[in-house]
Amino acid sequence: MSWLWHSSLLLLLVLPPLMLSHNWLLNRLGARSCYLLWLVIPVALLLPLLPSFTWHQAASLPLIETLLVSSQHLQQNLQVPGWLSMLTWLWLLGVILVTLGFGISIWQLHKQLRQCRHVQHSNLNYYFSKHHLGPAIFGVLRPSLIIPSDFKQRFSRVQRQLILQHELAHWHRGDLHANLLASLLLCLFWFHPLLWLAYRRYRADQELACDAYVLERYPNSTATCYANALLAAMQPMPSSAAALQPFCNQYGAVYVMKERLQQLKQRHSSSKIPALLILSIMCAVSVLWQQPVQADTAGTLSSNSPSPVVRIYPRYPIQAAQERIEGMVQLRFNVEADGSTSQIEVILSQPEGVFEKEAIRALAQWRYQPAADELPNQGVKVQLDFVLD
């Protein structure tokens, strides 16, 4: 939950400049470079989660981490089931509902395609739809093309070739797999309105990038011919086509079509160096911004210490609270390969015989992300301060 919260703040810093400067970047860098910049979102959000991505210092035993245990934990730990708070349940409910919505969309799509004529050719599945679906492509492991039943009547031979190459470009460029990752982020950050707006802009940039890719591969095809093919494919989206969303783009989106036709007049160079430079800077800033968050969330004072993943607070002993007794316990323990704690021993306790039992009981339930080096996983120290409110 801490990662979700800080990542949401990061999105508030990254998405507005990226979206507000979109038109300027599109005119200066071109559609393909603009589409490449969207990589900053998954990289900035997911890279800090990789276990191997840590800032290392010289191997040494970690300093003692201090954790405050107040008398509030007397009742909270008796009533709250661990770390699973109400906020976590609400987030999980949203994740389930959004994932269920995506699953229903996929199910509706396959239900309609079962009624279509199916042909397999050259490791490619063709579905000839009678419901005015397509042209569109979908699939993750294997591409499948949806072709409208009047495909030959609506398009000339050259236009058919351009439309098919556009759809296949989505597969060759990895757009379908990128859309799967984008859907995963939408499920995790379903509560973030800016991410949904950014997803819409991202899918539009995906189409612009494919247009530029096809025109570069077929330089003999004029922009006018390609524009006529796009206009021929454009039609109002019937209600039955809603099953294709959000995994397939439709040609009926007027605002996207206007932008695509305008971009056909511009021919940008294929160099991606400016976009890669901007992307690298944005990713570096985002990841560096996340690093202090990771350190704060882990609650450790040493950068090469194992990071706590699950931490159960000790219960303040009832008798100690009634007698207004405060104190502290210093513990030393090892972190195993699976993240569990072992060989817990008390280094120092004040006063003795009051807080040790609860401190050991809670620490035995902690789970860690082991450090990359073997040494810091041994002899990890923590100090628990028991303080009355």
Side-chain angles (χ1 to χ4, degrees), residues 70 83 106 165 187-188 251 254 331:
S70 68
W83 57 272
I106 297 175
Q165 290 301 320
C187 291
L188 294 178
Y251 290 86
V254 178
L331 302 167

Side-chain angles (χ1 to χ4, degrees), residues 276-288:
L276 289 174
L277 181 60
I278 297 176
L279 179 64
S280 301
I281 294 174
M282 295 177 68
C283 289
V285 172
S286 301
V287 173
L288 289 175

Side-chain angles (χ1 to χ4, degrees), residues 160-176:
R160 290 198 300 269
Q161 183 183 25
L162 293 174
I163 289 294
L164 291 178
Q165 290 301 320
H166 174 91
E167 297 302 331
L168 290 176
H170 283 302
W171 173 261
H172 296 312
R173 288 162 45 87
D175 291 342
L176 301 181

Side-chain angles (χ1 to χ4, degrees), residues 2-20:
S2 179
W3 170 76
L4 286 172
W5 167 249
H6 289 97
S7 297
S8 300
L9 296 179
L10 174 63
L11 291 175
L12 289 176
L13 296 176
V14 173
L15 289 179
L18 190 60
M19 297 177 67
L20 291 175

